[in-house]
Amino acid sequence: MAPAAASASASIAAIAQHHAPAAPRAFVSVAAAGRNGGLSVSVGVRPVPGISVVNSQRKRMVAAAAATEMAPAARGEGGGKPFVDEMRAVAMRLHTKDQAREGEKEPQAPPVARWEPTVEGYLRFLVDSKLVFQTLEDIVDRAAVPWYADFRNTGLERSEPLKKDLEWFTEQGHTIPEPTAAGTAYASYLEELSEKDPQAFICHFYNVYFAHTAGGRMIGKKVAEKILNKKELEFYKWEGTLSQLLQNVRTTLNQVASSWSREEKDHCLEETEKSFAYSGDLLRQIFT
C-alpha cells in the first residue's frame, strides 16, 4: 500500500533529513507547529541515513528564523524571545506555504480521505512509539547530563499509556509485533545523542512530545474512525490539563536553554529536520 498522509486544520510539516545523497526511500514526516504544537505530515523522499554534510540553505533558514525571533532584543525592546519560540519559528519555516505564512516547502500530501490505515500498520507504529517514548523517559531518569532531570515526571510521558493500549489490542486477539527497524534506529540515535550532544537531544525531546499532543491527536482520531470504531486510546489521554503540562515543559526548556551559548542554541535548531524525519519514519508504519 502506498504511504498516505493528511494536511488539516492542525497543520503538518514536511521535512527532509540532511544526509549525504544515497539510495532514496519514501518517508512521512511529522512536526510540531504553533504554540500548542500543530502538526504536519507529508509524503516525500529522503536519503538513507549516512554521512552528514553541510547544508547551507538549511543553515540560512535556521539563522533567519532565529534572527526573526531575536529581533525585539536587537531593537532594545527587552530580553528577546524565549528559546521555545525560536524552535517554533524554525518548524514554521519548514511548513508549506498553504499551511503557514512562513512556510517554504512545496505541498506533497494527499487529502485525509485517501488515508488507508491498517490495524497491523497501526500496531507497528504504536510499538515503535512506545520504544521511543520509553527511551526518552529512561534517558531523563538516568540524567547523564544533570539538567535532564528537570524533564522527569512532566505528565507528558507516554510509555505507560501505550503499554495499556497494546494490552487492549492483545485482548482483542491481535498479535503485538516487535519494534521495527525505524523504531530501534530512532531509539539508538536518541541514546547516542543523549550522551554526546545534549542540545540536539533536547530538540528531539521537544518535537516528539509536542507533535504528539497536537497533530498526533488528530491522526489518532482519524485512524480510530477508520479502523477502531472510534475508540480513543490511552495514548491520546493525559492526566491534568494538557495546556498547562505543555506550558510547564516550555518554561523548563526556556530555563535550561538560557545557559546555552548562541552556537549551542543554533545547533539545537539545526537538528529539527532530523527529528521530523525520524518521527516520520515511525508514522509511515500506519500506512504501509
Side-chain angles (χ1 to χ4, degrees):
M1 186 185 329
S7 178
S9 57
S11 64
I12 300 178
I15 314 297
Q17 188 173 15
H18 53 286
H19 284 304
R25 60 193 174 95
F27 75 96
V28 181
S29 66
V30 56
R35 183 161 297 276
N36 289 322
L39 193 79
S40 297
V41 176
S42 72
V43 180
V45 173
R46 75 173 176 87
V48 174
I51 300 173
S52 296
V53 297
V54 175
N55 185 320
S56 60
Q57 183 178 8
R58 171 175 55 81
K59 286 182 176 292
R60 287 196 299 271
M61 178 274 294
V62 170
T68 298
E69 293 303 311
M70 297 300 289
R75 293 194 301 266
E77 295 177 10
K81 295 288 186 179
F83 184 62
V84 171
D85 288 0
E86 293 190 49
M87 299 176 82
R88 173 184 176 276
V90 171
M92 294 301 287
R93 286 288 197 279
L94 296 170
H95 282 67
T96 60
K97 290 187 180 299
D98 62 333
Q99 293 167 341
R101 182 177 56 188
E102 305 97 321
E104 297 178 359
K105 297 293 182 179
E106 293 298 323
Q108 300 176 27
V112 174
R114 296 183 188 176
W115 282 26
E116 294 296 339
T118 65
V119 173
E120 293 75 17
Y122 195 41
L123 279 172
R124 290 194 295 269
F125 166 72
L126 294 176
V127 168
D128 281 355
S129 295
K130 182 177 183 297
L131 175 60
V132 169
F133 279 105
Q134 185 66 66
T135 299
L136 290 169
E137 293 167 25
D138 290 345
I139 288 169
V140 299
D141 282 344
R142 291 196 306 268
V145 175
W147 44 259
Y148 286 172
D150 295 340
F151 297 100
R152 294 172 181 163
N153 302 317
T154 64
L156 299 182
E157 291 78 16
R158 295 291 86 198
S159 65
E160 280 302 313
L162 279 164
K163 179 181 177 181
K164 293 178 182 178
D165 288 332
L166 293 173
E167 290 172 350
W168 178 83
F169 276 100
T170 299
E171 292 169 359
Q172 307 309 305
H174 296 288
T175 299
I176 307 303
E178 294 297 316
T180 72
T184 56
Y186 197 12
S188 295
Y189 185 63
L190 290 171
E191 290 281 7
E192 179 184 356
L193 286 183
S194 70
E195 295 289 339
K196 70 177 186 179
D197 197 342
Q199 281 75 30
F201 169 75
I202 287 298
C203 177
H204 289 263
F205 181 94
Y206 165 79
N207 282 296
V208 169
Y209 280 109
F210 278 65
H212 177 64
T213 63
R217 287 192 292 167
M218 181 271 289
I219 292 170
K221 180 178 179 181
K222 293 298 181 183
V223 172
E225 290 173 353
K226 285 183 174 287
I227 63 174
L228 298 180
N229 197 27
K230 299 184 178 181
K231 175 179 173 59
E232 183 181 14
L233 298 183
E234 297 301 313
F235 192 26
Y236 306 101
K237 300 176 184 177
W238 288 263
E239 293 185 10
T241 304
L242 180 57
S243 60
Q244 185 59 57
L245 296 177
L246 291 169
Q247 185 54 48
N248 292 343
V249 174
R250 287 192 197 94
T251 298
T252 302
L253 283 165
N254 288 326
Q255 290 172 342
V256 166
S258 67
S259 65
W260 295 353
S261 68
R262 185 67 255 171
E263 181 180 9
E264 288 173 327
K265 290 179 179 179
D266 289 343
H267 178 63
C268 177
L269 298 176
E270 288 166 7
E271 187 72 11
T272 305
E273 295 184 28
K274 279 190 178 180
S275 72
F276 292 169
Y278 274 108
S279 293
D281 283 345
L282 269 59
L283 183 66
R284 184 165 55 90
Q285 304 291 344
I286 300 174
F287 310 104
T288 56

